[in-house]
Amino acid sequence: MSDIQDPLRREIIAEIYRRADELGWDGLSISERSTWYNQWVDDDQIGGVLTRYMPRERARLWIKDVPMKHYNRARSGIGPYASLIRNPLPGAAQISQLAFGREWVVVEGTLQEKPNRCHLASGAEYLQMIWGTSRNLQSLIWAGLNARVDGGPTPVLVVTTRQGERLSEGEQARHQRLGELAGLEVRHVTTRATRGPSNRAAGG
């Protein structure tokens, strides 16, 4: 992909993200996603451009491993493609307000990913917020355990659920119980996509 000019590359990624948004990508099965990868390679606006610079199979792999690997992080305002998202998810600043209140602010320079985490401050108090969806709970707990071992602000896990989805009371209670066993506080918040540019306080 080194031969393609950056503006054109970003234009292709933006188009892929637009279509993923319309499809409700998170709700698609693995087989459905695979079908769409194939269709995008066959599409003139995406594969028709990519295959000028690489073989078809490499183009399919590039779609999967470059733009779509960054898709959810980009939706959270994180990473090199965050500005290409039309309907971003709430970023760290918004999630921290939902989970802890408006008095807590993101400490500049502390945002990290895999999983998403950052330090928050409220006056002289600090904590580390580690957040993601319930399907990433294992990664959140592991990051929380490592944060405790490494020292620093107390880690708190925030499990996000998107508007229209629902975690049962039993599922939430299970998350709380797992957190208790790991010595970690777990909070739950419901988020929704927003229209307009990404929340830059959330990273990028």
Side-chain angles (χ1 to χ4, degrees), residues 5-123:
Q5 294 294 318
D6 186 64
L8 179 57
R9 176 171 58 85
R10 293 179 69 83
E11 182 180 318
I12 295 168
I13 293 172
E15 178 62 19
I16 291 170
Y17 284 172
R18 184 187 69 78
R19 298 190 188 195
D21 283 349
E22 291 180 350
L23 290 168
W25 192 256
D26 289 336
L28 300 183
S29 67
I30 293 175
S31 63
E32 288 171 329
R33 293 181 181 189
S34 181
T35 297
W36 281 107
Y37 290 143
N38 291 333
Q39 291 194 29
W40 288 343
V41 172
D42 291 333
D43 187 277
D44 289 342
Q45 286 184 272
I46 299 174
V49 178
L50 292 176
T51 52
R52 296 181 210 158
Y53 301 89
M54 63 184 73
R56 185 182 189 281
E57 280 307 308
R58 186 178 163 209
R60 186 188 187 282
L61 185 64
W62 182 87
I63 291 170
K64 180 180 178 181
D65 287 351
V66 179
M68 296 314 295
K69 186 175 182 179
H70 287 272
Y71 177 61
N72 278 323
R73 293 195 292 277
R75 295 183 77 199
S76 295
I78 298 171
Y81 306 127
S83 63
L84 303 180
I85 293 289
R86 295 188 178 187
N87 300 314
L89 295 172
Q94 293 163 297
I95 291 174
S96 69
Q97 290 179 9
L98 288 171
F100 303 100
R102 292 186 176 275
E103 65 273 20
W104 289 91
V105 297
V106 177
V107 178
E108 187 175 354
T110 63
L111 185 69
Q112 299 182 68
E113 54 183 308
K114 297 181 182 180
N116 295 339
R117 57 199 188 277
C118 67
H119 292 181
L120 304 179
S122 176

Side-chain angles (χ1 to χ4, degrees), residues 95 99 130-137 140 156-161 167 172 175 186-191:
I95 291 174
I130 305 170
W131 79 97
T133 62
S134 60
R135 72 184 64 178
N136 294 322
L137 184 62
L140 303 185
V156 180
L157 311 186
V158 178
V159 178
T160 61
T161 305
L167 286 177
Q172 292 190 40
H175 296 169
V186 178
R187 300 191 181 196
H188 291 85
V189 300
T190 299
T191 67

